[in-house]
Amino acid sequence: MMNNYLSISPEVKEALSAGKPVVALESTIISHGMPYPQNVQTALRVEQTIRDNGAVPATIAVIGGKLKAGCTNDEIEYLGKKGQAVTKASRRDLPVLVARGEDGATTVTTTMIIAAMAGIKVFATGGIGGVHRGAETTMDISADLEELAQTPVMVICAGAKSILDLGLTLEYLETKGVPVIGYGTDELPAFYTRHSGFGVDYRIDTPEELAAAFHAKLAMGLKGGMLVTNPIPEQYSMPADVINKAIDEAIAESQRLGIHGKATTPFLLAKVKDLTGGDSLAANIELVLNNARLAALTAAALKKCDQ
Ligand code: PSU
Ligand code: MN
């Protein structure tokens, strides 16, 4: 059956058919991850960084019930201005949003789904969801991990925030057969900081070797993606004690208020941001730009593997 819900922008369509490298970008980071207007400015800077590094950006979102692979600047402005009023759309949300012709900000999960539908293999973002602290009783495990287990897209991120249980997140990914790569590091980065104390599966130091490993995975027909964790550049990283204190406070407050389900991650992210002021926003912007750069180079290297 034809997928009449997918809408690929003319620029992305042309790039894909001409065999140019394309990098997918998520929209939850725009609508829910940063305040307006920094969210829109950052999204446009990320797109420009991808272009500067030789690839074509495809910002992904659900708009008016269409699964968009490639948003216009006006659509990015719309998603950024509407902010939290845009539904945070995970896998379970797509059927009803699409049938109703509504909007959705795509998480890592739904960005992977739509990227795969469009034929895009590399995706850059900030942080992924994972196993929450206390998940042994709440069962709060992000759908992002299940998506990495089944959808063939390489996700380039700065690790995961320690709002999560990073040890359990790695155990889950191991069970699901998802390779966790450290880019230029043996240690899983923790988003705002370069260190978590947990090891990754493999250290890889070049975009070419990232591409070769993912190409091999695809060529073997092994389902699922690959997680590349790229540490925040040293000069933008935050002091671990400042960030950990903010995270502990945010978690304590979410427990007091009984926050649960899809509200948990946005609540914790917003709280950490409030507690750390503008510093964490500046770090967040820089690490996303850093991931966009690596994703563009890796998408280009992956094209060479296909030749
Ligand atoms: N973690 C971050 N930044 C983010 C998110 C998570 O450090 O922006 C967003 C991403 O869109 C991710 C989603 O896919 O939250 C995960 O939400 P949940 O934990 O509800 O699955
Ligand atoms: Mn959850």
Side-chain angles (χ1 to χ4, degrees):
M1 207 177 84
M2 270 281 294
N3 185 341
N4 291 321
Y5 303 111
L6 181 63
S7 164
I8 307 180
S9 75
E11 187 194 12
V12 171
K13 199 175 276 174
E14 191 275 328
L16 289 168
S17 59
K20 291 182 195 158
V22 178
V23 174
L25 299 163
E26 65 156 299
S27 45
T28 292
I29 194 172
I30 303 174
S31 295
H32 295 255
M34 290 180 194
Y36 181 82
Q38 286 95 332
N39 54 1
V40 172
Q41 286 161 5
T42 303
L44 297 177
R45 278 181 75 194
V46 169
E47 288 205 340
Q48 188 57 45
T49 300
I50 287 170
R51 293 182 202 283
D52 293 344
N53 287 278
V56 170
T59 296
I60 289 182
V62 183
I63 298 182
K66 290 285 181 204
L67 309 178
K68 296 269 184 185
C71 286
T72 62
N73 290 2
D74 286 349
E75 287 167 335
I76 288 173
E77 171 76 22
Y78 170 75
L79 292 165
K81 214 167 199 170
K82 202 171 160 193
Q84 311 277 336
V86 184
T87 303
K88 177 183 156 198
S90 191
R91 177 176 269 271
R92 58 107 185 253
D93 301 290
L94 288 183
V96 174
L97 287 180
V98 164
R100 288 183 175 166
E102 289 180 4
D103 300 330
T106 54
T107 63
V108 168
T109 296
T110 39
T111 303
M112 289 179 77
I113 293 172
I114 297 167
M117 283 178 186
I120 302 168
K121 293 179 181 149
V122 178
F123 162 23
T125 189
I128 61 156
V131 180
H132 279 267
R133 298 195 201 174
E136 58 274 27
T137 53
T138 63
M139 291 182 71
D140 189 353
I141 299 170
S142 175
D144 293 352
L145 302 184
E146 287 295 321
E147 210 58 51
L148 281 161
Q150 62 174 315
T151 300
V153 173
M154 183 196 290
V155 179
I156 300 184
C157 68
K161 295 197 177 100
S162 39
I163 58 170
L164 302 171
D165 187 321
L166 298 182
L168 290 186
T169 299
L170 289 173
E171 292 290 352
Y172 200 93
L173 289 166
E174 181 190 357
T175 301
K176 293 291 180 173
V178 178
V180 179
I181 309 299
Y183 188 69
T185 179
D186 295 303
E187 199 181 337
L188 179 75
F191 197 90
Y192 296 119
T193 64
R194 295 171 62 85
H195 304 287
S196 67
F198 293 98
V200 292
D201 303 334
Y202 295 94
R203 170 183 175 151
I204 289 183
D205 292 334
T206 64
E208 290 71 28
E209 206 196 334
L210 288 178
F214 194 53
H215 179 76
K217 178 163 187 176
L218 297 176
M220 287 184 282
L222 294 177
K223 74 173 183 151
M226 188 165 121
L227 186 65
V228 176
T229 64
N230 185 27
I232 184 171
E234 188 81 61
Q235 69 267 37
Y236 303 116
S237 72
M238 293 185 65
D241 53 336
V242 171
I243 201 72
N244 291 335
K245 187 166 169 280
I247 285 171
D248 289 343
E249 269 183 66
I251 289 175
E253 181 156 353
S254 79
Q255 286 168 349
R256 260 198 314 276
L257 296 173
I259 308 285
H260 63 276
K262 72 188 287 184
T264 302
T265 297
F267 178 89
L268 294 174
L269 297 180
K271 201 76 217 167
V272 169
K273 214 157 40 198
D274 290 349
L275 291 168
T276 52
D279 290 358
S280 66
L281 181 59
N284 198 344
I285 292 168
E286 293 300 334
L287 66 83
V288 176
L289 293 171
N290 189 46
N291 295 340
R293 210 168 297 125
L294 179 59
L297 300 176
T298 303
L302 193 57
K303 280 292 163 198
K304 295 216 176 92
C305 297
D306 291 337
Q307 282 161 7

